[in-house]
Amino acid sequence: MVVPCVECGEKAILKRPKNGKKLCKDCFYSVFEDEIHQTITQNNLFDRGESIAIGASGGKDSTVLAHIMKTLNDRHDYGLNLVLLSIDEGISGYRDDSLETVKRNQIQYDLPLKILSYNDLYGWTMDAIVKEIGMKNNCTFCGVFRRQALDRGAALLKCDKIVTGHNADDIAETVIMNMLRGDIARLGRCTAITTGSEGMISRSKPFKYTYEKEIVMYAHFKKLDYFTTECIYSPNAYRGHARVFLKDLERIRPRAILDVIKSGEDLAIKDDVKMPTQMTCVRCGYISSGELCKACIMLDGLNRGKPQLSIGKATKRKQILKAEAAGAVTEMF
C-alpha cells in the first residue's frame, strides 16, 4: 500500500519525528527549510548587511547549518555576509579529521573559513588537558574554552553575530541538566534563541525548534558531507545522562522535546533569588561573574599544576589557595 505525502499526494518516503506527518522527499526539504526561515524571521535573528560567523565543527548540525544559512541567505536575500569559524581543540584522531570536512564544506559552499586553535589561544590542547586532569571533568574545560574561543574568533573576523547548530534536543537536554544541577542562573537563559551580554557578540540558534533526527534525515537525503565520529572524550559527559532520559521521553511522546523547552521558557524565578552579577574579567576582559572569568581560572589551575582549582565552587578554590599559602609560610620557618 502506497502512503501518500500529506502535502502533495505523491508517495511518502518518511515520517517526521516531530509530528508524525508523512512526506515525500521534496516536501520534507521544503517544510524543513521553511520552518527554519520562519524561526529566523519571526525572531528577527539578523539584520541586512551583518557579518555572521557560523560555528563549524564538521558534524551534522553545523554542516546542515552552513548549508541552510547559505541556501536561505541566497533564496530570501537576507543580505548577510557569511563566514565559517572553526575551533581546533587539539584532539588527535577526532578534531583533525573533522576539520578536513570543514575545509571541504568551505569549497562546497564557497564561504571564507577561519580556524583558531586552543593551543594558540590558551597554550594548551585538549589532549594535554586530559593527560593532566583525566576524563572526569574534561568536557567542562572544553566547553568553557570553546565558548570563549568562538567569541574571540568572531571578534577577530569583525562579525556582528555568531550562529550555532544547537538543536531542539540540545536545548531540552540543557534544561534538564540545569534543573538537575539546580543552576537557576543558566536555567533562566538556556532556552533563549539569542544570547549575549552588552558589549559582547550575540549568539543565535536557528535550529531551536528543529529536531536532531530531522537534521540527520535532511543531511542524509541531501547527501551532505559531514563528519560522524563522536568525540573520543565525550562518553563520560554529564549531558549523556540527560540525553538518554530525553530519548526515553521522546519514544513515549515525540512532542516531549518541545514541551521541555516550553517549560524552560515559562519558568519564573522568584524575586528574592540571588542571581550572579555580571562583571568583566580583570585579566582578559571577558564576561564573568567574578574577578576572573572561568577560562582564566581554569588556565591558572592548569599552569600551576593544580587543575582542581578550576572545578567546583569558588569557596573550594579559596580553601585550596589558603592551604597552599599556609604551607608556603610553614616552609619559610
Side-chain angles (χ1 to χ4, degrees), residues 251-263:
R251 216 169 283 120
I252 299 168
R253 188 166 182 266
R255 191 176 166 78
I257 292 173
L258 294 178
D259 289 340
V260 171
I261 294 174
K262 185 68 167 60
S263 297

Side-chain angles (χ1 to χ4, degrees), residues 157-188:
L157 294 168
K158 295 181 169 55
C159 289
D160 300 291
K161 291 172 182 172
I162 300 169
V163 290
T164 62
H166 291 95
N167 56 54
D169 300 56
D170 296 326
I171 296 170
E173 288 165 11
T174 304
V175 171
I176 293 170
M177 288 168 62
N178 289 331
M179 289 183 68
L180 294 175
R181 287 171 171 159
D183 194 332
I184 302 300
R186 286 193 175 92
L187 189 55

Side-chain angles (χ1 to χ4, degrees), residues 281-307:
C281 177
V282 298
R283 184 176 296 173
C284 72
Y286 195 69
I287 56 171
S288 173
S289 58
E291 188 175 284
L292 293 178
C293 69
K294 192 66 175 174
C296 284
I297 291 173
M298 288 181 165
L299 280 174
D300 190 38
L302 287 169
N303 292 331
R304 292 161 65 102
K306 296 182 180 296

Side-chain angles (χ1 to χ4, degrees), residues 92-320:
S92 300
Y94 169 70
R95 184 55 73 210
D96 43 1
D97 291 337
S98 70
L99 286 176
E100 291 303 312
T101 304
V102 176
K103 291 172 185 176
R104 293 195 298 272
N105 291 160
Q106 175 195 12
I107 297 169
Q108 292 157 359
Y109 305 133
D110 190 25
L111 295 174
L113 168 64
K114 178 66 177 177
I115 300 175
L116 290 177
S117 73
Y118 281 10
N119 195 41
D120 290 338
L121 292 172
Y122 308 117
W124 287 81
T125 65
M126 276 310 299
D127 285 342
I129 291 172
V130 170
K131 189 175 180 180
E132 182 75 17
I133 69 170
M135 294 281 283
K136 187 175 181 181
N137 294 300
N138 54 289
C139 288
T140 301
F141 279 80
C142 193
V144 170
F145 287 157
R146 184 176 176 79
R147 279 190 292 274
Q148 191 179 108
L150 280 172
D151 284 333
R152 288 192 185 188
L156 187 66
L157 294 168
K158 295 181 169 55
C159 289
D160 300 291
K161 291 172 182 172
I162 300 169
V163 290
T164 62
H166 291 95
N167 56 54
D169 300 56
D170 296 326
I171 296 170
E173 288 165 11
T174 304
V175 171
I176 293 170
M177 288 168 62
N178 289 331
M179 289 183 68
L180 294 175
R181 287 171 171 159
D183 194 332
I184 302 300
R186 286 193 175 92
L187 189 55
R189 63 176 183 265
C190 69
T191 57
I193 195 166
T194 297
T195 56
S197 306
E198 187 176 346
M200 302 300 295
I201 297 173
S202 67
R203 297 185 183 207
S204 299
K205 308 182 191 78
F207 290 171
K208 177 181 176 179
Y209 303 109
T210 307
Y211 276 33
E212 181 180 48
K213 287 179 180 176
E214 298 198 355
I215 291 172
V216 173
M217 290 166 66
Y218 185 88
H220 171 72
F221 287 122
K222 282 282 187 179
K223 294 182 168 54
L224 300 185
D225 183 5
Y226 66 96
F227 187 72
T228 57
T229 304
E230 288 289 329
C231 176
I232 59 176
Y233 296 138
S234 68
N236 297 322
Y238 183 60
R239 178 176 291 274
H241 302 292
R243 181 174 295 127
V244 170
F245 175 62
L246 187 66
K247 292 303 179 188
D248 288 341
L249 291 178
E250 183 189 10
R251 216 169 283 120
I252 299 168
R253 188 166 182 266
R255 191 176 166 78
I257 292 173
L258 294 178
D259 289 340
V260 171
I261 294 174
K262 185 68 167 60
S263 297
E265 290 173 335
D266 291 346
L267 282 173
I269 300 172
K270 293 169 63 177
D271 294 335
D272 59 350
V273 174
K274 186 178 179 181
M275 300 292 283
T277 303
Q278 183 179 306
M279 302 168 64
T280 301
C281 177
V282 298
R283 184 176 296 173
C284 72
Y286 195 69
I287 56 171
S288 173
S289 58
E291 188 175 284
L292 293 178
C293 69
K294 192 66 175 174
C296 284
I297 291 173
M298 288 181 165
L299 280 174
D300 190 38
L302 287 169
N303 292 331
R304 292 161 65 102
K306 296 182 180 296
Q308 68 270 26
L309 292 175
S310 316
I311 305 299
K313 297 185 179 297
T315 51
K316 178 183 175 183
R317 179 171 181 264
K318 289 177 181 177
Q319 288 172 356
I320 294 172

